[in-house]
Amino acid sequence: MPPPEPLILLARQARQRFGTQVGAQLPKIVQALRDALTAQLDQARSTRDYQTARDTLTLLNQSERAWMQGVQASLLQSHQQSLKPPPTPVTFEASMPAGLELMANEAMEDQLLASRLALSIQDAAGQEWTDLKLRLVFADGKTELATTDLVRPETLARALVEAWMGAGLTRDQWKHQSTTLHGSAGKCFTAAYHDVNHWLVGKGVMTKVKPQHVVRKASSGGSG
């Protein structure tokens, strides 16, 4: 049986709050990048280093709104997908046209960039991420979050990488700024996890995290 309606509602509101918090944190990530690039301009040891930092900063200033909007749109899409049944896996032929092969290689590279970022977010958020995951699983009455749940570090990382490319920034620029991106995203999203955990505790949802009692039985009383 599903968990009581109030818990399901709180889980829905928690995810909405998390999405809002992420949106509020994105300008801080952009500012961290801008500060890092400005420092790179000041410390450039060659004309090439200076031009690389200058070009990235110029493009970031032009594309920051599109990047942030793309992240939020991607998270919304992931959230909507998490509410649907898992799609049927698609089987590809052993060989494919050169154009599709290039696209597949680019997709794999983007996935690798996102995986590295997700690990940084997860490491930075630590217990805050773990606690929020357990509280949402508890409130959902399930055993695990959907693979596309917007609170997952993997979902956040994928949204940032995809929106970066979609905004016209490049993979090389991402790689050059990966230290700043990983550090600022980890710090900012930890703040989002903390905020939603604090909000859920205030609502009485698993005030003491109990990993061994994640799935809420319909017969149990109280919410935590």
Side-chain angles (χ1 to χ4, degrees):
M1 294 179 65
E5 181 63 26
L7 277 178
I8 295 177
L9 179 60
L10 286 173
R12 186 181 306 127
Q13 292 173 341
R15 288 181 171 90
Q16 291 173 345
R17 186 180 183 93
F18 185 79
T20 299
Q21 287 297 313
V22 167
Q25 295 295 331
L26 290 176
K28 298 179 183 180
I29 298 176
V30 172
Q31 188 58 50
L33 280 168
R34 188 177 287 114
D35 292 344
L37 286 163
T38 300
Q40 289 167 28
L41 288 173
D42 295 337
Q43 299 165 10
R45 296 183 179 181
S46 68
T47 301
R48 181 178 180 180
D49 289 345
Y50 183 90
Q51 289 177 339
T52 297
R54 182 197 61 190
D55 292 347
T56 304
L57 180 58
T58 298
L59 190 53
L60 177 67
N61 288 334
Q62 295 171 348
S63 306
E64 61 176 286
R65 182 179 296 275
W67 183 37
M68 290 189 290
Q69 290 176 342
V71 171
Q72 292 176 301
S74 179
L75 290 177
L76 177 59
Q77 183 180 26
S78 293
H79 178 60
Q80 292 171 339
Q81 289 176 348
S82 71
L83 303 177
K84 301 176 181 178
T88 302
V90 178
T91 302
F92 292 95
E93 296 294 333
S95 61
M96 61 181 72
L100 291 179
E101 185 175 356
L102 176 61
M103 292 174 61
N105 289 337
E106 291 175 345
M108 288 180 63
E109 188 171 359
D110 290 349
Q111 184 176 357
L112 181 58
L113 296 178
S115 295
R116 290 170 176 167
L117 177 60
L119 286 175
S120 293
I121 295 171
Q122 184 170 323
D123 287 346
Q127 197 62 44
E128 292 288 355
W129 148 241
T130 300
D131 288 354
L132 181 57
K133 175 175 65 173
L134 292 175
R135 287 190 171 101
L136 288 177
V137 167
F138 175 84
D140 289 335
K142 299 180 180 179
T143 57
E144 186 56 87
L145 297 177
T147 56
T148 57
D149 197 302
L150 83 166
V151 305
R152 283 186 174 276
E154 304 95 313
T155 305
L156 292 171
R158 185 170 57 250
L160 262 69
V161 171
E162 290 178 353
W164 178 277
M165 308 306 169
L169 293 150
T170 70
R171 291 175 183 84
D172 283 342
Q173 288 170 334
W174 177 282
K175 293 174 184 176
H176 286 143
Q177 304 306 318
S178 61
T179 299
T180 301
L181 282 160
H182 287 204
S184 58
K187 179 180 179 180
C188 290
F189 294 147
T190 296
Y193 286 126
H194 174 78
D195 174 87
V196 181
N197 271 317
H198 183 75
W199 182 82
L200 284 170
V201 169
K203 298 294 185 181
V205 178
M206 197 182 273
T207 55
K208 293 183 179 180
V209 174
K210 309 169 188 176
Q212 70 275 27
H213 298 133
V214 170
V215 180
R216 189 182 197 281
K217 296 183 184 299
S219 60
S220 64
S223 59

